[in-house]
Amino acid sequence: STWRDAGSASLDHVIAERISPIDLPLRDLHLGVTPPFDFSFSGPRQPVDRRTEFEEVFELLFGGFSTPDDPVARARVAKKQSVLDSVRGNIAALEAKLGAADRATLNDYLGRVRAIERRISATGTVACQPTQPQLQRSPLRQRPEPAGYDPLWDADIASRAMSDMATEALACDRTRVVTLAWGQPNTYEWLRNEGGQPIRTDDWHLDVVHVGGGTRGTPTPQRDLLFRVQRYYHEELAYLLGRLRDVREGDGTLLDNCLVLYVNELGDGATHSHRNKPQAT
């Protein structure tokens, strides 16, 4: 969807509002492997920014929190707080000049500022030992990394790093709600087609998704590509579930205490139908 499609807050935001303590550093966390379409909204036509760089996410979650006595961390917190102080100093003068509609927009903005303040003020050691994500590739990957490649821009490598960050955020109680979106690259060249060649298209959406996969009785080459790519996504979900399962929590695991919803945004990509969307919980 786009920001124009949202008539209200999205479900993840509604859940976060109901289950998140007031002093939680992040009411919800929105991650993306590649920049996807918006589907998280704090209100009508109010999309929530999605974070797509795992190093930035680690800093957001744990920078200045895991070692609060670090002078560098204290200086970073003080700098951020000074920026917020300067913003508050101009609010009263601005409100007097605004009409009702603009004041409502300003109030929404101030709500975001208050959320930042909660994150900054939530100092102290976290209840776990967060670790930087270990870069690793999918077992399905068959293409070697090119010389000088940057994993930050590699959708395959970034996927598992983001799953690591989602797990750390929940395990350390930095947030209670996480959304993780796998955006659609135009090429899946780290995967191989039936002939063993890298899966490359000029436009995955037009060349494969819109064409459709045919039927079981009359399969098409596009059907094979769709199956191989969807298997890749299912493997990435399995990795995330495995990471959640590996964290001990009480008498069980973190996975035992989570509700996970995995869904495709379309029921039929060829027609852009939203009916009968495949999902698993």
Side-chain angles (χ1 to χ4, degrees), residues 106-183:
L106 177 62
N107 286 333
D108 177 70
Y109 168 75
L110 294 178
R112 296 171 186 264
V113 172
R114 284 190 288 271
I116 296 173
E117 288 181 309
R118 285 197 300 270
R119 290 205 302 267
I120 293 176
S121 62
T123 56
T125 55
V126 293
C128 64
Q129 296 297 320
T131 58
Q132 285 275 9
Q134 299 299 309
L135 299 181
Q136 56 180 302
R137 60 188 185 183
S138 163
L140 297 178
R141 188 186 184 104
Q142 300 183 42
R143 178 180 67 85
E145 296 87 351
Y149 95 113
D150 186 346
L152 287 173
W153 300 103
D154 191 305
D156 175 33
I157 303 296
S159 172
R160 301 206 166 195
M162 282 301 187
S163 290
D164 291 342
M165 287 294 88
T167 302
E168 295 279 9
L170 294 170
C172 296
D173 204 26
R174 308 310 286 172
T175 189
R176 302 285 175 86
V177 177
V178 178
T179 60
L180 174 56
W182 285 275

Side-chain angles (χ1 to χ4, degrees), residues 1 11 22 26 51 68 138 164 214 224 243-244 254 261 275:
S1 65
L11 179 61
I22 189 64
L26 287 167
R51 300 179 184 276
S138 163
D164 291 342
D224 175 68
R243 290 284 284 112
L244 297 173
L254 179 57
L261 173 64
R275 297 184 176 182

Side-chain angles (χ1 to χ4, degrees), residues 29-36 49-61 132-133 135 150-155 157-166 179-181:
L29 178 64
H30 304 285
L31 307 177
V33 174
T34 55
D49 290 338
R50 194 166 300 280
R51 300 179 184 276
T52 57
E53 296 190 11
F54 55 82
E55 291 180 340
E56 174 189 314
V57 174
F58 188 86
E59 172 67 19
L60 170 69
L61 291 170
Q132 285 275 9
L135 299 181
D150 186 346
L152 287 173
W153 300 103
D154 191 305
I157 303 296
S159 172
R160 301 206 166 195
M162 282 301 187
S163 290
D164 291 342
M165 287 294 88
T179 60
L180 174 56

Side-chain angles (χ1 to χ4, degrees), residues 177-273:
V177 177
V178 178
T179 60
L180 174 56
W182 285 275
Q184 176 184 286
N186 273 334
T187 179
Y188 294 89
E189 60 181 344
W190 62 85
L191 303 176
R192 303 279 177 167
N193 62 21
E194 188 175 20
Q197 300 300 312
I199 297 179
R200 292 193 182 97
T201 61
D202 292 330
D203 189 319
W204 174 261
H205 183 72
L206 291 177
D207 296 343
V208 179
V209 177
H210 257 296
V211 174
T215 64
R216 187 178 299 274
T218 58
T220 66
Q222 288 83 4
R223 180 185 176 89
D224 175 68
L225 298 183
L226 288 169
F227 278 20
R228 290 172 185 270
V229 168
Q230 290 302 317
R231 181 190 172 196
Y232 160 73
Y233 285 126
H234 297 343
E235 290 274 359
E236 296 306 284
L237 173 66
Y239 174 81
L240 172 60
L241 297 179
R243 290 284 284 112
L244 297 173
R245 182 195 57 206
D246 291 341
V247 177
R248 300 302 304 175
E249 195 170 77
D251 296 330
T253 71
L254 179 57
L255 180 59
D256 295 329
N257 297 319
C258 284
L259 171 64
V260 180
L261 173 64
Y262 174 58
V263 61
N264 190 322
E265 73 273 22
L266 295 174
D268 183 352
T271 62
H272 284 200
S273 170

